[in-house]
Amino acid sequence: MNSLTSTSEQDRIAEAVTSIRADTNIGKLLQDAGKLKPQDMERVLQLQQKENLRFGEAAQKLGLVSEADIRQALSHQFEYPTIPAAEASLSPELTAATAPYSREAEALRSVRSELLLRWFKDGRKTLAVGSARADEGASYLAANLAVLFAQMGRKVLLVDANMRQPRQHDIFNLGNGMGLSDILAERMPSLQVHTIKPFQTLSVLSAGSPPPNPAELLARPAFGALLSGLETSYDIILIDTAPSQLSSDFQLVAARVGGVLISTRRNVSRINPLAELKEKITLTGAQVVGAVVLD
């Protein structure tokens, strides 16, 4: 049998290459990302047809791309924004963005599902995330949940209301300029939020200038008015709050929002502080929506 490719087969390959270049599919995405060269496309297509493989499987079998390259391309193809860990300018704490297929990210997706079923399903839009201690991961949990909801296409705002020890500006590499404190103190003429790339539906409102009176700022009617206004613009608003052992700020947020998700950490959290936190939340009239145990 002649080993050369027939004219008709060459035509089919050429048409397939043209189709790949014209459509937003995995071949074009890999080529646009610099993972495949134009001359690689025909080799991949020939192996794909010969062994009845998916395009990505064929490219990987030829050693042209890695599994991580395929996953990144699929993320773009299915409009599921992620960031390769090696390229991330954001904190590695953003597991949902930098390691979306990890065990930790999958566990966080389970939390997201529970929240959709138990809290957000009845038209609620805002939820506070808090903890008893500063080292129990509330900021980590809030940031990752914000990414996960944005990956669903929801319009999400993450508000850093921990004005004593803010962390979201570090996690998202924003720089802590003007933010929530400045709005509540009427030092900021208009709302300015940071849109997080590549998550075009995710915005962050940082804590802002360090104020001497965070509790008093959160107690102002302006805070409730701000949240009410934001709920008309966003599908989901997550609020990172100060730890209960640090201040009573979280109670003011809980009272405004109506629900708190508690973050705990294995081998760190203790029963008595958590029981006190639950009681304090209940006294505000808010619900304890659930508790998440982080490793």
Side-chain angles (χ1 to χ4, degrees):
M1 181 179 292
N2 193 336
S3 61
L4 296 177
T5 305
S6 68
T7 302
S8 59
E9 186 175 355
Q10 287 177 338
D11 290 342
R12 286 198 302 270
I13 292 173
E15 289 174 3
V17 171
T18 301
S19 175
I20 282 175
R21 288 172 179 167
D23 299 329
T24 305
N25 56 29
I26 194 167
K28 183 177 185 302
L29 290 167
L30 287 168
Q31 191 173 345
D32 290 346
K35 304 299 181 181
L36 288 179
K37 298 177 181 178
Q39 59 266 33
D40 295 327
M41 304 293 280
E42 186 171 335
R43 292 177 58 201
V44 176
L45 285 165
Q46 287 178 332
L47 182 62
Q48 181 184 14
Q49 292 183 353
K50 179 181 178 181
E51 299 190 13
N52 193 27
L53 300 173
R54 291 186 176 90
F55 185 93
E57 292 173 335
Q60 191 174 352
K61 189 170 184 178
L62 288 169
L64 298 171
V65 298
S66 66
E67 183 177 356
D69 295 331
I70 299 296
R71 286 182 169 178
Q72 185 66 17
L74 287 170
S75 295
H76 286 287
Q77 190 178 42
F78 286 88
E79 297 181 353
Y80 182 67
T82 61
I83 305 172
E87 301 174 14
S89 61
L90 309 181
S91 168
E93 289 183 79
L94 283 174
T95 306
T98 60
Y101 308 104
S102 63
R103 179 179 61 86
E104 292 82 359
E106 189 58 41
L108 289 165
R109 277 191 283 271
S110 296
V111 176
R112 179 187 65 183
S113 297
E114 289 289 329
L115 292 175
L116 287 170
L117 293 171
R118 296 174 56 186
W119 183 251
F120 293 113
K121 70 180 181 69
D122 295 324
R124 299 186 184 95
K125 290 190 172 184
T126 308
L127 177 68
V129 181
S131 61
R133 293 170 38 164
D135 56 354
E136 290 179 319
S139 296
Y140 165 88
L141 180 59
N144 278 280
L145 286 174
V147 168
L148 287 166
F149 281 117
Q151 286 173 334
M152 295 179 67
R154 303 292 181 94
K155 192 173 183 183
V156 182
L157 177 65
L158 174 60
V159 179
D160 194 344
N162 183 356
M163 291 180 274
R164 298 175 190 269
Q165 296 178 344
R167 293 209 58 243
Q168 297 302 338
H169 66 286
D170 285 333
I171 293 175
F172 287 94
N173 194 26
L174 300 175
N176 194 22
M178 299 184 79
L180 179 63
S181 64
D182 304 284
I183 294 171
L184 298 180
E186 299 181 351
R187 298 180 60 246
M188 193 171 175
S190 61
L191 179 66
Q192 297 177 16
V193 299
H194 301 272
T195 300
I196 307 302
K197 296 180 180 181
F199 310 98
Q200 295 301 319
T201 61
L202 171 59
S203 299
V204 174
L205 175 59
S206 59
S209 307
N213 58 337
E216 287 74 17
L217 290 178
L218 291 169
R220 291 183 178 182
F223 182 53
L226 174 66
L227 292 182
S228 297
L230 290 171
E231 286 186 345
T232 65
S233 301
Y234 293 91
D235 300 319
I236 290 176
I237 301 172
L238 298 174
I239 304 181
D240 184 9
T241 64
S244 63
Q245 289 189 339
L246 184 63
S247 71
S248 61
D249 297 1
F250 80 96
Q251 290 177 292
L252 297 163
V253 176
R256 298 285 189 189
V257 172
V260 180
L261 178 67
I262 297 176
S263 179
T264 69
R265 194 174 292 280
R266 196 181 306 277
N267 300 323
V268 172
S269 300
R270 297 292 179 262
I271 294 297
N272 287 342
L274 289 174
E276 291 175 7
L277 172 58
K278 180 181 178 181
E279 182 179 355
K280 289 176 180 178
I281 293 170
T282 303
L283 287 173
T284 69
Q287 298 181 42
V288 175
V289 178
V292 177
V293 180
L294 303 171
D295 288 330

